[in-house]
Amino acid sequence: MVEVWPRASAVLDVAAIVFIVTVLTHAMILLVLSRRPTPETATAAPDIRVVFTIPCLDEERVIGASIDRLLSLPYDDIVVLVIDDGSQDGTAAIVESRTDSRVRLLRRRPPEARQGKGAALNAAYAHVLSSGITDGRPHDQVVIAVVDADGRLESDALSHVLPLFANADVGGVQTAVRINNRHVSTLARMQDMEFVIFTDVFQQARNHIGSVGLGGNGQFMRLSALTSLGAQPWSSSLTEDLDLGLRLTTHGWRNLYCRRTAVHQQGVVRFDRLLRQRARWFHGHLQSWRLLPEVVHNTRGWARCDLVYHMTAPFLLLCASLLTASFVLVLAGVALGGPSPQTGSFRWLLVAYALAVGPALVYSQVYWSRDRTDGLSRGRAVMMAQFYALYGLMWYLAGWRAVGRILLDRTHWAKTSRELDTAQTTLPPVAGGTGGIAPPQALGTPLTADTAR
């Protein structure tokens, strides 16, 4: 028994080293790729009708401002289709109070209603095909956009997104996502930093390798791409947006990330709600594993490697949580032993700190480069990196909570509550978009972007 333990310890040490090297190498490759300019695309927007779909379940606090924001966009050929998914508040009445002919209301009632965001979007998709909303246009000239009830697109969004659809093989475009109450909540600021880091590094890099993912807010899809997926393009997964992006890719469509504009949304300001939201995302990511054979069979090269890595991120994250727990135990032992700069334990502690905080420091400069016009200093960004490394530990709690719910067969999740729109959480004036769909800092891998459910 005494001889077995050193061997087992050595095996674990090697496994930890391989794991850390793999994660950091993947992150470094994408960081380098993200710094390369994206190839220029067509500058003229094709003749496209945009149908904005807004799934709503008890969204009276925010839906009015969201509709008004979309109607104010400098583009005439739009329809705003609000899906009232069995709301019990004043959501439908607010929508009906809008007299603009471009606003439509699709009401879903139990038992069909409240079956998830994917089911609501599939109902909207069927309605678009059967109601004449497309005005007889070919399906490749119609774009379906998904905007959450708290989503606020920047005014230049369509001028940046629609030209990308001039390329016939583009099935989907994902905008950046920013947190609009980041100035009034530290927790919301961490979410904004998380989103910016993911999109400005990982999504931007994936533009070059063909593995861009779609999120649940600021998501644009060509109607002909959706019809290629059948009668129900969206799945019943808790992360139907992740599934949709993967399926479009495996069906030969190209998804693009548009970093020049963003959709702004509310950040969660209570930790318990954030933990519940991220555990739901983690659960949905695990559900996407059923698409793994399709991804392996129908993708090639670096796109296949990156997508497989992305889909296995939950497993990697759980492994990382065990490594972190081991580090904490060693740290406790070092502290009780009274470390000094001459001890090996102290040097090991410095290495561990560098591995934990080092990537956050690098990413913080990416965040600073995108947010300095909004008053963020470089020094403050460095300080935020320390908090961001701690914030990333939240994903460990969320991951194990999701695993526990799966083992207990608890699949029902409550939607994330909204805050009432105020002057503090309205869309700030910004020159360009950043942000996006966010990962644990240590892995740099997204677990999805659905914030409506």
Side-chain angles (χ1 to χ4, degrees):
M1 183 69 180
V2 175
E3 295 179 357
V4 172
W5 172 247
R7 295 178 183 176
S9 178
V11 170
L12 290 175
D13 288 343
V14 171
I17 292 172
V18 171
F19 174 82
I20 293 171
V21 170
T22 300
V23 170
L24 292 181
T25 299
H26 175 262
M28 184 177 299
I29 290 173
L30 293 191
L31 177 62
V32 172
L33 285 176
S34 70
R35 301 306 95 186
R36 294 173 54 189
T38 303
E40 290 297 324
T41 57
T43 56
D47 183 18
I48 285 179
R49 167 158 291 192
V50 181
V51 181
F52 288 103
T53 58
I54 312 177
C56 290
L57 175 58
D58 297 333
E59 299 285 13
E60 64 179 5
R61 292 187 170 192
V62 294
I63 186 58
S66 183
I67 293 173
D68 294 342
R69 179 70 186 179
L70 293 176
L71 294 177
S72 71
L73 295 178
Y75 190 81
D76 294 329
D77 198 0
I78 69 170
V79 174
V80 180
L81 176 61
V82 180
I83 308 102
D84 177 18
D85 199 29
S87 297
Q88 296 180 333
D89 63 358
T91 297
I94 292 173
V95 178
E96 290 173 334
S97 70
R98 280 6 187 217
T99 58
D100 194 305
S101 62
R102 295 174 293 174
V103 178
R104 314 285 180 89
L105 175 64
L106 174 61
R107 303 198 69 169
R108 287 167 52 79
R109 305 180 187 278
E112 289 79 14
R114 299 193 177 213
Q115 298 301 311
K117 187 177 178 181
L121 289 171
N122 282 331
Y125 167 75
H127 182 74
V128 167
L129 293 179
S130 63
S131 64
I133 284 179
T134 63
D135 197 25
R137 293 171 180 267
H139 290 175
D140 63 347
Q141 295 180 16
V142 178
V143 166
I144 306 298
V146 178
V147 179
D148 285 343
D150 66 331
R152 307 288 181 268
L153 281 170
E154 292 179 1
S155 60
D156 62 356
L158 295 181
S159 67
H160 291 304
V161 168
L162 295 186
L164 300 178
F165 285 100
N167 302 283
D169 64 337
V170 173
V173 175
Q174 176 63 50
T175 71
V177 180
R178 292 301 301 264
I179 300 300
N180 59 13
N181 56 337
R182 62 187 180 274
H183 300 289
V184 296
S185 165
T186 301
L187 192 59
R189 170 65 82 172
M190 290 294 99
Q191 293 165 64
D192 187 60
M193 186 174 179
E194 184 183 34
F195 283 138
V196 168
I197 289 168
F198 170 64
T199 53
D200 210 41
V201 175
F202 295 90
Q203 287 279 71
Q204 180 67 9
R206 286 165 177 156
N207 265 335
H208 296 284
I209 60 179
S211 55
V212 170
L214 296 181
N217 199 8
Q219 170 185 318
F220 294 77
M221 294 79 56
R222 196 189 299 270
L223 182 56
S224 56
L226 293 177
T227 57
S228 72
L229 303 182
Q232 295 187 323
W234 282 273
S235 71
S236 59
S237 168
L238 291 169
T239 52
E240 80 299 321
D241 47 359
L242 171 62
D243 279 18
L244 181 68
L246 291 172
R247 292 175 62 219
L248 285 175
T249 299
T250 59
H251 279 69
W253 295 96
R254 186 160 58 106
N255 298 324
L256 297 177
Y257 164 63
C258 181
R259 73 187 294 268
R260 296 183 176 181
T261 191
V263 62
H264 295 246
Q265 65 186 36
Q266 288 185 6
V268 182
V269 296
R270 283 178 44 181
F271 183 78
D272 59 330
R273 291 180 179 178
L274 179 66
L275 183 63
R276 183 176 62 207
Q277 180 195 67
R278 300 309 171 87
R280 185 178 68 246
W281 293 3
F282 193 100
H283 189 168
H285 205 116
L286 292 174
Q287 292 174 328
S288 75
W289 283 3
R290 61 186 174 78
L291 296 175
L292 190 57
E294 187 176 345
V295 169
V296 171
H297 184 265
N298 294 324
T299 59
R300 297 290 183 270
W302 287 110
R304 174 196 285 172
C305 295
D306 184 61
L307 287 174
V308 170
Y309 180 96
H310 171 67
M311 295 178 72
T312 56
F315 173 74
L316 297 176
L317 188 143
L318 294 177
C319 290
S321 72
L322 298 178
L323 290 176
T324 302
S326 174
F327 164 73
V328 171
L329 291 176
V330 173
L331 177 62
V334 170
L336 293 175
S340 66
Q342 287 74 36
T343 65
S345 296
F346 186 84
R347 289 193 296 271
W348 186 91
L349 182 60
L350 290 178
V351 171
Y353 174 81
L355 289 174
V357 181
L361 287 171
V362 175
Y363 293 146
S364 71
Q365 296 311 294
V366 174
Y367 185 62
W368 168 78
S369 70
R370 302 299 293 162
D371 215 43
R372 57 184 173 180
T373 57
D374 199 29
L376 180 67
S377 67
R378 189 188 290 269
R380 188 182 176 200
V382 169
M383 292 300 299
M384 288 170 57
Q386 318 299 315
F387 291 103
Y388 186 69
L390 292 174
Y391 168 82
L393 299 179
M394 170 270 301
W395 277 104
Y396 299 157
L397 299 176
W400 286 111
R401 178 176 180 176
V403 170
R405 289 181 64 93
I406 292 171
L407 294 176
L408 295 173
D409 196 27
R410 298 173 62 186
T411 58
H412 175 74
W413 292 89
K415 72 181 288 291
T416 303
S417 300
R418 311 287 190 200
E419 303 296 329
L420 185 65
D421 258 335
T422 66
Q424 290 181 314
T425 59
T426 54
L427 178 67
V430 292
T434 56
I437 318 165
Q441 174 268 330
L443 294 179
T445 303
L447 293 184
T448 189
D450 177 12
T451 55
R453 290 251 191 293

